[in-house]
Amino acid sequence: MPLPEFSGDQDFQLFLRKSLEFTRKIKGDVAALQRAVCDTFQLCKEEELLLVRQHLGIAQSPLEQCHSRSFQAEACFSRLCQELQSYHSSLASVRELLPAHADLVEQLQLDAANLSSNIQQQMEDLGLTTVTYPAESRGALPVFSSLFHHQVGSFFILADFQRFLETAYRALRHLAR
Amino acid sequence: SLGGTHGCASVAVGSPVVPLGSAVTASCTVRSELCRGLERGKIRIAWMLDSEPMAGSQQQGPGGTEVSNLTVPHFNRSQARLWCLVEWNGTRQRVGMAEIQAGYPPAKPSNLTCMLNLSDYGLTCQWERGADSLPTAVALKCATSRAQREATGEAVTGCTPRGGGRRCTVPRRLLQLYRKMEIWVSARNALGTAESERLCIDPMDVAKLDPPTLQSIRSVPYQTDCISVAWEAARTSAHMELQCELRYRSPEDLAWALVPGISGQARPTQHCGFLFGTQYHFQMRCRRPSPGGYWSEWSPGRNFTTHE
Amino acid sequence: SLGGTHGCASVAVGSPVVPLGSAVTASCTVRSELCRGLERGKIRIAWMLDSEPMAGSQQQGPGGTEVSNLTVPHFNRSQARLWCLVEWNGTRQRVGMAEIQAGYPPAKPSNLTCMLNLSDYGLTCQWERGADSLPTAVALKCATSRAQREATGEAVTGCTPRGGGRRCTVPRRLLQLYRKMEIWVSARNALGTAESERLCIDPMDVAKLDPPTLQSIRSVPYQTDCISVAWEAARTSAHMELQCELRYRSPEDLAWALVPGISGQARPTQHCGFLFGTQYHFQMRCRRPSPGGYWSEWSPGRNFTTHE
């Protein structure tokens, strides 16, 4: 994977170490919420819900800009910022579903927004230009036609967010020395 | 909206809340044209109650749908999820779900008692109730008598105990003082409503009084075995009709001697039969003369030694 | 309004709040036509500072008014009332008043320190400040760095100590984690504003960690004076880069032996130089590697006796 020229910059390395830790924190909180959804709604295995996922039309963005073969810093960082912002809003439907975990979901939303603006700020510090992508369907808050669909929708918001964080973590770790 | 109003499949139940042990019937309707990837005619519907497989019947439904019906003869879990599944690409897909709760109608609240607090004139009531089997809304209801209510259309007011508790306080502004009010507790859940016996009381009659104060105790001239007690009602009950009682005993006595029926506000009362040169300890308390009135605490004590 | 906008008389002061010891100038304007019973031309204006008579000059003012000016050269009371009086029917009438306060601009807040609580991610800051001579508004200010603020227009947030206290907590939603924030205290009263030094910290760097736990302690095969300690960071810091240290001592030792610089999350650490057949007591603590990090409390202790 080609390394951008600024990757040796000390501030950038500090930003990467902080962002890696922040991503680990968010991943831990998402995993805790996934356990809560499993315990509360008996929704635990993704393979049992693929038909309803397909029916609900929940798409996940592939983040190809952050994959090793086609890694491109500006595109990847821009994508991370945008996806984090959209998870910040779509997590609201998880919050409605899990009132007992509202504080944890709110923290998760704040963390997603913070990580996104931290990356945004770092791009500006490095003079990178932000690439904007067409907003995913997940941007707006989904409206679910039934409680079951709301639960399955929330299950996939968390599962996709966990996968997204995994990809982001790998991209950041690649850049960190 | 996502997934259309009915979606690929939907589960309908007779009622989401049923009496414990009663039968539960459910139907799962699968609309293959709405579930991309499901081949019509090859749909096999299965059921699970939480994680326990259940057997249902299956037949074609209207508009090319597949319908499976299920009956759980004796539903005896307080809460469970009924899952509808279909086979797809070699996996079992959860396509519909219904939450079912079972329990009993609420138990009748009992032993309702109320007390008016004279510092803020709030009426605090408490009662007893069995445990809840279902989410239960409990409220204390308080209204002027039914006739007045119908005549004046006055609203039923009251208060709601916190966290399903067993007491709450009706604030002064929702009370009608010096007039009979009907007070009762209502408990409601999905299976019914239960109401306590109705109290019919004037809030002032259940006021908890502050204790009176014993001002002074003196011997009565020429009646050496008599004493005169000067007392005063508490400021908060200075305007009230009171029924008070005095008690006294000397250090040797085991039991208190009691002088009931002291009424009026503060006229000194006279009592006889005291021994010479003996130290007595006096206390007084008061209450509302009406039935159900609460005695105040005993006043701070006062000592007095009769003459030799 | 009562007495018209100005009324029969009015007192004007240079400023209602002045530095202690500085001069205070005031003027009292009497409009006899608005004071029934006051005969124009015979008005004698007098002054009192609280209850102390003061001498002012008096001359005719515009529009038939009488004006008296007063200067208090060194106003050294923290608070006083300046009264304007006129003679009337042989009595002295208070016809106007101004309240004056004196003090100092607020002292500069100092020793600002902050700590992030990992249970709710609130940032609690505390500082020191001199006593207030005047009503003082104190607020902790908190913002991403100036450049970002100007670029993104992010608001300055923070918190307000209760009752003019010296600490308050910025809630998580007003913080920016993993990024430098500027934090300072501002104190403002009528005579000025004072700001503390600015902290420039990433809230995560001042997190107060929960202590780690010592899982197990074992001898190292073939290295009889060495032991291996298995430990685990607290759940709340499981994702964090940590810097930890181990301490141990045997009952005979007075001082603890310290093993600094244990990093990473939970890899067992190995230490040598232990005596044979001796019981040692072990504890561990961790903190953020960044400057200004706070040590956690020491972990619960664990005993281990080395082999004979």
Side-chain angles (χ1 to χ4, degrees):
Chain A
M1 193 141 101
L3 283 179
E5 70 296 346
F6 50 77
S7 65
D9 173 283
Q10 218 200 343
D11 273 351
F12 181 61
Q13 285 300 320
L14 176 62
F15 155 75
L16 288 175
R17 274 212 340 271
K18 282 180 183 268
S19 301
L20 282 168
E21 183 174 301
F22 207 179
T23 306
R24 285 196 300 270
K25 173 190 188 302
I26 298 172
K27 276 168 64 60
D29 290 346
V30 173
L33 282 177
Q34 286 177 292
R35 282 191 299 275
V37 166
C38 177
D39 297 342
T40 314
F41 305 118
Q42 297 169 14
L43 298 178
C44 308
K45 297 191 196 116
E46 212 168 317
E47 58 276 19
E48 285 181 348
L49 300 166
L50 299 178
L51 193 57
V52 174
R53 167 176 197 143
Q54 185 181 270
H55 175 73
L56 290 177
I58 300 172
Q60 178 173 21
S61 52
L63 276 189
E64 66 286 353
Q65 301 86 348
C66 295
H67 285 291
S68 47
R69 287 173 314 282
S70 52
F71 183 80
Q72 218 274 333
E74 261 151 342
C76 175
F77 284 162
S78 304
R79 195 70 190 172
L80 295 185
C81 283
Q82 194 172 344
E83 283 298 308
L84 283 165
Q85 282 303 343
S86 86
Y87 278 113
H88 167 261
S89 42
S90 57
L91 279 166
S93 47
V94 178
R95 195 163 154 179
E96 285 161 21
L97 209 61
L98 290 168
H101 296 79
D103 288 350
L104 179 55
V105 178
E106 187 199 7
Q107 276 225 23
L108 201 48
Q109 289 180 287
L110 292 165
D111 288 353
N114 271 188
L115 182 55
S116 177
S117 66
N118 287 358
I119 296 172
Q120 177 86 33
Q121 185 56 47
Q122 186 62 39
M123 288 179 75
E124 281 160 21
D125 294 350
L126 292 170
L128 299 180
T129 49
T130 320
V131 179
T132 32
Y133 293 87
E136 278 296 315
S137 67
R138 198 186 28 254
L141 203 57
V143 177
F144 298 106
S145 64
S146 74
L147 177 64
F148 173 53
H149 287 164
H150 188 171
Q151 292 167 357
V152 173
S154 299
F155 173 91
F156 278 113
I157 286 170
L158 293 172
D160 292 348
F161 194 17
Q162 191 67 268
R163 258 190 300 276
F164 162 84
L165 291 166
E166 198 55 52
T167 306
Y169 193 79
R170 273 200 304 276
L172 294 168
R173 201 170 45 193
H174 159 69
L175 294 168
R177 285 289 151 70
Chain B
S1 74
L2 266 168
T5 45
H6 286 297
C8 161
S10 55
V11 174
V13 285
S15 155
V17 184
V18 297
L20 204 61
S22 63
V24 165
T25 57
S27 74
C28 179
T29 305
V30 177
R31 297 168 197 81
S32 51
E33 76 284 5
L34 289 179
C35 316
R36 252 179 289 133
L38 263 191
E39 281 174 60
R40 186 184 283 206
K42 276 200 195 150
I43 293 170
R44 280 187 51 250
I45 299 175
W47 291 89
M48 280 209 305
L49 187 59
D50 284 339
S51 54
E52 187 194 329
M54 310 288 284
S57 68
Q58 184 176 331
Q59 66 279 341
Q60 282 212 333
T65 60
E66 282 292 322
V67 178
S68 172
N69 292 319
L70 173 75
T71 298
V72 179
H74 306 292
F75 187 87
N76 46 28
R77 304 177 196 206
S78 61
Q79 186 164 2
R81 275 200 179 78
L82 202 52
W83 293 97
C84 173
L85 304 99
V86 292
E87 303 291 332
W88 180 68
N89 289 0
T91 65
R92 289 173 60 140
Q93 293 293 308
R94 293 171 189 252
V95 290
M97 178 275 296
E99 285 175 3
I100 301 171
Q101 283 184 308
Y104 306 99
K108 178 176 175 160
S110 57
N111 291 350
L112 172 61
T113 63
C114 295
M115 182 188 285
L116 188 76
N117 173 331
L118 288 181
S119 60
D120 59 7
Y121 277 81
L123 184 70
T124 298
C125 297
Q126 55 191 32
W127 56 89
E128 278 150 32
R129 220 163 55 74
D132 295 333
S133 59
L134 291 167
T136 306
V138 181
L140 183 85
K141 308 267 185 181
C142 180
T144 42
S145 70
R146 188 185 310 273
Q148 273 140 339
R149 252 201 333 278
E150 271 126 23
T152 59
E154 272 162 16
V156 172
T157 62
C159 55
T160 308
R162 259 207 299 268
R166 289 179 174 32
R167 66 184 285 139
C168 66
T169 299
V170 184
R172 164 68 185 94
R173 56 185 167 68
L174 299 179
L175 290 177
Q176 188 72 33
L177 294 187
Y178 294 104
R179 199 160 73 181
K180 289 265 188 224
M181 293 192 90
E182 264 187 307
I183 298 173
W184 71 98
V185 185
S186 123
R188 187 173 40 78
N189 70 16
L191 296 180
T193 299
E195 287 190 351
S196 71
E197 302 303 327
R198 295 188 170 220
L199 285 184
C200 193
I201 51 169
D202 165 1
M204 285 313 298
D205 289 344
V206 289
K208 166 81 172 179
L209 304 184
D210 296 320
T213 38
L214 292 173
Q215 304 289 29
S216 67
I217 305 170
R218 289 196 194 77
S219 299
V220 174
Y222 314 114
Q223 292 177 290
T224 49
D225 71 326
C226 300
I227 56 119
S228 156
V229 177
W231 61 281
E232 199 174 36
R235 189 183 44 72
T236 47
S237 27
H239 57 284
M240 293 186 187
E241 274 178 49
L242 299 174
Q243 183 199 348
C244 304
E245 58 185 27
L246 179 73
R247 70 177 183 182
Y248 59 86
R249 67 178 175 186
S250 62
E252 301 72 42
D253 299 334
L254 284 176
W256 291 91
L258 193 71
V259 179
I262 303 171
S263 63
Q265 267 297 322
R267 272 192 316 285
T269 64
Q270 197 162 312
H271 312 285
C272 301
F274 290 87
L275 302 176
F276 298 106
T278 310
Q279 191 199 41
Y280 286 92
H281 183 70
F282 293 84
Q283 282 184 307
M284 199 171 188
R285 66 176 181 177
C286 297
R287 68 175 196 154
R288 298 285 286 161
S290 44
Y294 293 98
W295 282 110
S296 74
E297 301 306 321
W298 286 103
S299 70
R302 253 192 187 283
N303 290 338
F304 178 74
T305 308
T306 51
H307 283 300
E308 287 307 323
Chain C
S1 68
L2 214 63
T5 46
H6 286 300
C8 161
S10 59
V11 175
V13 285
S15 154
V17 185
V18 295
L20 204 63
S22 64
V24 166
T25 56
S27 72
C28 180
T29 305
V30 177
R31 296 166 199 78
S32 50
E33 75 285 4
L34 290 179
C35 321
R36 247 178 288 121
L38 266 187
E39 286 172 54
R40 183 184 283 203
K42 276 202 198 146
I43 292 170
R44 282 190 50 254
I45 300 174
W47 292 91
M48 280 210 310
L49 186 59
D50 284 340
S51 56
E52 186 194 334
M54 309 288 284
S57 68
Q58 184 173 331
Q59 65 279 342
Q60 281 211 329
T65 59
E66 282 292 319
V67 177
S68 170
N69 293 322
L70 172 74
T71 298
V72 179
H74 306 293
F75 185 87
N76 46 29
R77 307 175 194 208
S78 63
Q79 187 161 4
R81 280 203 176 77
L82 199 55
W83 294 94
C84 173
L85 307 97
V86 290
E87 303 290 336
W88 182 67
N89 286 2
T91 65
R92 290 172 60 135
Q93 293 295 311
R94 293 171 190 251
V95 291
M97 182 276 291
E99 280 180 4
I100 300 169
Q101 282 184 307
Y104 304 99
K108 177 173 174 166
S110 57
N111 290 351
L112 172 60
T113 63
C114 296
M115 183 187 286
L116 188 76
N117 172 332
L118 287 183
S119 61
D120 58 6
Y121 277 82
L123 185 70
T124 298
C125 297
Q126 55 190 32
W127 56 87
E128 278 151 33
R129 219 161 56 73
D132 294 334
S133 58
L134 291 167
T136 306
V138 182
L140 183 84
K141 308 269 185 182
C142 179
T144 45
S145 69
R146 190 183 310 274
Q148 279 142 8
R149 260 205 323 282
E150 274 125 24
T152 58
E154 275 159 20
V156 173
T157 62
C159 55
T160 306
R162 260 206 299 266
R166 290 186 173 26
R167 67 184 283 141
C168 65
T169 298
V170 184
R172 164 68 185 94
R173 58 185 165 69
L174 300 179
L175 290 177
Q176 183 74 29
L177 295 188
Y178 291 101
R179 187 147 49 123
K180 291 268 192 228
M181 294 192 88
E182 266 187 305
I183 299 174
W184 69 99
V185 184
S186 127
R188 188 171 42 77
N189 70 17
L191 297 179
T193 299
E195 287 192 350
S196 71
E197 302 304 327
R198 294 191 170 216
L199 284 184
C200 191
I201 51 169
D202 167 0
M204 284 312 302
D205 288 346
V206 289
K208 167 80 173 178
L209 304 185
D210 297 318
T213 39
L214 291 173
Q215 304 287 34
S216 68
I217 302 170
R218 289 195 194 82
S219 297
V220 175
Y222 314 113
Q223 290 179 289
T224 49
D225 71 328
C226 300
I227 56 122
S228 162
V229 178
W231 62 282
E232 197 173 36
R235 190 182 49 75
T236 48
S237 26
H239 57 283
M240 290 184 187
E241 280 179 40
L242 299 175
Q243 186 200 341
C244 304
E245 59 184 27
L246 180 74
R247 73 177 182 182
Y248 60 86
R249 68 178 174 187
S250 62
E252 299 74 43
D253 298 336
L254 285 177
W256 291 92
L258 194 71
V259 180
I262 302 170
S263 62
Q265 267 294 323
R267 276 190 313 284
T269 66
Q270 198 164 310
H271 312 284
C272 303
F274 290 87
L275 302 176
F276 300 108
T278 309
Q279 194 202 39
Y280 287 93
H281 184 69
F282 292 84
Q283 284 185 306
M284 198 169 186
R285 66 177 181 176
C286 298
R287 67 180 201 140
R288 300 286 287 158
S290 39
Y294 293 97
W295 282 110
S296 72
E297 302 307 318
W298 286 101
S299 71
R302 253 193 185 278
N303 291 336
F304 177 75
T305 307
T306 51
H307 284 299
E308 286 310 322

